[in-house]
């Protein structure tokens, strides 16, 4: 599966949106590993939450070609604009929705959902001084970039909100690829999903400096 070009994205834009890194490439590798299954399932609607630079949904759009409607969702208007340009630069089409997570997604409409969430354990209720120190520690220039990685207690604040919604948004045969950090307690999430009639497994994992990343593949139990 081809990694989309991001040469059109400026340094100033990467101060506002998440620059593709090891977690992004692991998610691309997981989709590539499962690409024959994805093609065989013929998803009509593919969606990515928090598209950032747009490389994941753009690669997915090229994988499924004209068979699917590919949607990128991001709360950042800048990220939506960058994602749109990434798709165009890589000669494919992605529709971008500037909204918060799954709030306006139609019930049972998404056949394939992908999410690289803000997963780093952190405090989201920082005062101004604490937030400034955190910005300086990662070289961030705005709150937009902090939101791409700061995940609250256990890194789970955003993850748990999305997991609660997947039964509503996934189509009957839908699949959800979710990237997690080991500190997010993926086995706890798997156990919770099993109670709600989902089948979830660690589909791929990778250790990098300072992080142990995993990809969960989540489908309805029995499918």
């Amino acid at each position: 599966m081809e990694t989309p070009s991001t040469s059109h994205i400026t340094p100033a834009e990467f101060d506002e949106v998440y620059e593709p890194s090891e977690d992004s490439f692991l998610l691309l590798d997981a989709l590539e590993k499962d690409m024959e299954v994805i093609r065989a399932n013929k998803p009509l609607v593919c969606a990515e939450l928090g598209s950032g630079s747009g490389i994941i949904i753009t690669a997915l759009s090229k994988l499924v070609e004209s068979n699917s409607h590919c949607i990128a969702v991001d709360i950042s208007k800048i990220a939506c604009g960058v994602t749109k340009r990434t798709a165009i630069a890589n000669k494919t089409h992605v529709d971008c929705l500037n909204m918060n997570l799954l709030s306006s997604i139609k019930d049972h409409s998404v056949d394939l959902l992908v999410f690289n969430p803000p997963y780093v354990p952190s405090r989201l209720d920082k005062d101004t001084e604490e937030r400034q120190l955190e910005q300086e520690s990662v070289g961030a220039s705005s709150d937009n970039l902090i939101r791409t990685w700061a995940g609250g207690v256990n890194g789970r604040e955003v993850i748990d909100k999305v997991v609660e919604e997947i039964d509503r948004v996934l189509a009957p045969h839908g699949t959800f690829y979710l990237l997690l950090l080991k500190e997010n307690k993926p086995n706890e999430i798997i156990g919770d999903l099993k109670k709600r009639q989902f089948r979830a497994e660690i589909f791929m994992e990778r250790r990098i400096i300072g992080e142990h990343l995993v990809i969960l593949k989540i489908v309805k139990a029995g499918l």
Side-chain angles (χ1 to χ4, degrees):
M1 207 164 93
E2 182 182 349
T3 300
S5 170
T6 58
S7 60
H8 57 282
I9 305 176
T10 68
E13 287 171 324
F14 275 134
D15 284 340
E16 299 288 340
V17 302
Y18 187 70
E19 186 169 359
S21 190
E22 291 292 343
D23 50 355
S24 314
F25 301 132
L26 176 60
L27 191 46
L28 285 174
D29 287 346
L31 294 173
E32 181 176 42
K33 178 181 175 181
D34 226 19
M35 66 181 180
E36 295 306 323
V37 173
I38 292 170
R39 283 175 171 155
N41 287 341
K42 298 179 179 178
L44 295 177
V45 176
C46 300
E48 181 188 10
L49 297 182
S51 60
S53 68
I55 68 161
I56 302 298
I57 193 64
T58 295
L60 192 54
S61 178
K62 292 177 75 69
L63 173 65
V64 297
E65 298 177 333
S66 60
N67 298 320
S68 303
H69 181 197
C70 289
I71 300 168
V73 175
D74 206 294
I75 197 169
S76 164
K77 290 182 180 180
I78 296 171
C80 288
V82 170
T83 293
K84 191 73 174 177
R85 285 171 43 228
T86 297
I88 293 169
N90 289 275
K91 297 180 171 55
T92 190
H93 179 78
V94 171
D95 284 325
C96 298
L97 302 178
N98 178 211
M99 67 182 193
N100 187 24
L101 300 175
L102 297 165
S103 58
S104 298
I105 297 291
K106 184 179 177 182
D107 291 0
H108 310 302
S109 62
V110 178
D111 298 289
L112 195 158
L113 181 64
V114 181
F115 191 25
N116 180 1
Y119 56 66
V120 177
S122 59
R123 286 180 54 198
L124 295 186
D125 59 340
K126 310 172 189 68
D127 61 27
T128 303
E129 183 179 356
E130 288 175 318
R131 184 175 291 279
Q132 181 63 35
L133 288 171
E134 199 156 62
Q135 285 177 322
E136 291 173 356
S137 71
V138 296
S141 64
S142 74
D143 281 357
N144 285 335
L145 196 55
I146 288 177
R147 291 192 192 100
T148 67
W149 58 263
V153 178
N154 296 321
R156 290 268 296 270
E157 182 155 322
V158 176
I159 291 167
D160 287 345
K161 288 177 182 177
V162 170
V163 168
E164 284 293 322
E165 287 266 36
I166 61 169
D167 193 33
R168 180 184 69 79
V169 301
L170 279 185
H173 296 273
T175 304
F176 180 25
Y177 297 89
L178 174 63
L179 188 145
L180 298 171
L181 193 65
K182 204 70 172 179
E183 285 84 348
N184 302 147
K185 303 180 180 180
N187 288 326
E188 183 179 285
I189 294 173
I190 289 171
D192 177 59
L193 287 162
K194 286 180 178 178
K195 291 177 184 177
R196 294 192 283 128
Q197 306 305 307
F198 281 90
R199 186 173 72 247
E201 62 175 352
I202 294 178
F203 182 69
M204 188 177 283
E205 55 188 310
R206 181 171 298 161
R207 292 179 183 271
I208 61 174
I209 297 174
E211 292 185 336
H212 184 168
L213 303 168
V214 302
I215 303 286
L216 295 192
K217 180 179 178 180
I218 302 161
V219 296
K220 272 289 191 180
L223 295 180

